[in-house]
Amino acid sequence: MFGNSGVLKEFSRKAVLSYARNRQPRTYLGPTLFPDNTVNELSFEYFKDRNLLPVMASVQAFGTEARQASREGLDKVSGAIPTIKRKIPLNGRALIALKREGAGDVEFVRNTLYNDLDNMIEACLARVEKMRMDAAANGQIVLNENGVIMTVDYGVPAGNKEILSGTSLWSDSVNADPVGDIQRWANTVVGVSGIRPTRALTSNTVVANLVKCMNVRKAIFGDNGGSRIVTLADVNALLGSLELPRIVTYDEKVRVEAEDGTLSTERLFPEKKFVLLPGEALGETLVGPTEEALLDPEVDARDVAGVYAIVYQEPEPPVVWTKAAISAIPTFPMADAVFQAQVLA
């Protein structure tokens, strides 16, 4: 239909792949918690073994053999690395411009294709970020999309999770004790893993409730400070003085498209959650090869892992597609070193 269109020649497979790998992506929090690690694997397997509490040796009589240590804490987490894909057809106006290639047409088609590339790549990266936040906030990833049914349980200890209720909810400004809760949760993490949390991740909604709590106000300003305005900076100064984690908020949102085309907005990090985190990374985001890259004869073997993108034609029905794909999943060996709490109803 389009022959050897001059515009499409610019979007060769290698050129598009280079663009996909070198463009500046949207800034997310997830890569600081789960940095990317490119692997040439379609599955993952690791051992959750990050407990820093020492196992004390026993006293032995002189000349006797040392007692053998057991290999504890080696909980294996394994599964397949899922593939995330999205594509979009060139619209009618752009198709006409692609065939015509008159004054202004080439630039219009070029801009349309680059915009489509950006949108498809960002759509894939957004899904990866959602998996990272599900792992950090819930300790598991549950997939049930397009025939893919998969649950990855990262093994966060049951004692490292809590759902507040009643007067303990941080929405109860008179009775709630957020600072006491955070102290208790931090002590739980230290007791389980030997690692002291240094940061906390939550939403602006949680912080808005937190700063209204009388116990927080009085801890910052004294008994006469119950009516004074408290900021997140004030709260973090208090937490710092108590050697408790400093709070960071994350309210990034994305849109989700239903099968009927309806769009809705979804948060990446749950609005009601408050998660204590260690100072180091929680794990990695394993980025593996996509099936598209593996089967593409123009993609070198060393480039099959990572974001894949392509602009291609189909003769029947005649259409030009822009497609992006990525195979990725976070690992979470630091699962013992977090505390995941739901603080609002």
Side-chain angles (χ1 to χ4, degrees), residues 278-322:
E280 59 190 287
L282 304 180
E284 299 176 326
T285 302
L286 300 182
V287 181
T290 62
E291 56 191 337
E292 287 84 356
L294 287 169
L295 297 174
D296 191 331
E298 296 188 33
V299 176
D300 294 335
R302 64 178 180 272
D303 292 327
V304 295
V307 177
Y308 176 85
I310 187 172
V311 175
Y312 64 99
Q313 301 180 51
E314 285 186 350
E316 187 62 37
V319 66
V320 174
W321 291 99
T322 299

Side-chain angles (χ1 to χ4, degrees), residues 64-223:
T64 61
E65 185 178 352
R67 181 179 175 183
Q68 180 177 321
S70 62
R71 187 70 65 181
E72 53 86 31
L74 295 180
D75 296 328
K76 185 169 73 173
V77 181
S78 61
I81 301 178
T83 300
I84 300 160
K85 309 176 186 181
R86 190 166 173 83
K87 67 179 182 178
I88 189 171
L90 206 59
N91 61 30
R93 180 187 171 195
L95 287 176
I96 294 172
L98 180 65
K99 180 66 175 179
R100 188 172 56 206
E101 289 193 344
D105 290 338
V106 171
E107 194 63 25
F108 171 69
V109 174
R110 180 185 293 116
N111 289 340
T112 300
L113 289 173
Y114 273 118
N115 285 337
D116 286 348
L117 270 173
D118 286 335
N119 289 335
M120 296 305 99
I121 294 169
E122 286 299 335
C124 293
L125 297 179
R127 190 63 186 88
V128 176
E129 180 70 357
K130 183 62 167 62
M131 289 195 293
R132 293 183 184 118
M133 292 301 108
D134 285 347
N138 305 319
Q140 64 176 7
I141 295 173
V142 179
L143 303 179
N144 187 0
E145 303 169 20
N146 303 311
V148 176
I149 300 175
M150 172 180 170
T151 298
V152 181
D153 190 332
Y154 290 103
V156 175
N160 286 35
K161 299 180 179 182
E162 185 173 350
I163 300 176
L164 298 182
S165 61
T167 57
S168 296
L169 289 165
W170 290 5
S171 53
D172 189 332
S173 60
V174 176
N175 298 296
D177 183 17
V179 175
D181 291 333
I182 296 171
Q183 285 177 319
R184 175 166 50 83
W185 297 335
N187 289 338
T188 296
V189 172
V190 173
V192 169
S193 68
I195 300 172
R196 179 162 291 279
T198 61
R199 49 189 175 164
L201 184 61
T202 192
S203 68
N204 280 322
T205 301
V206 167
V207 169
N209 282 271
L210 170 65
V211 297
K212 295 177 183 177
C213 291
M214 295 296 295
N215 283 336
V216 174
R217 292 174 178 273
K218 290 181 179 180
I220 295 172
F221 294 121
D223 291 340

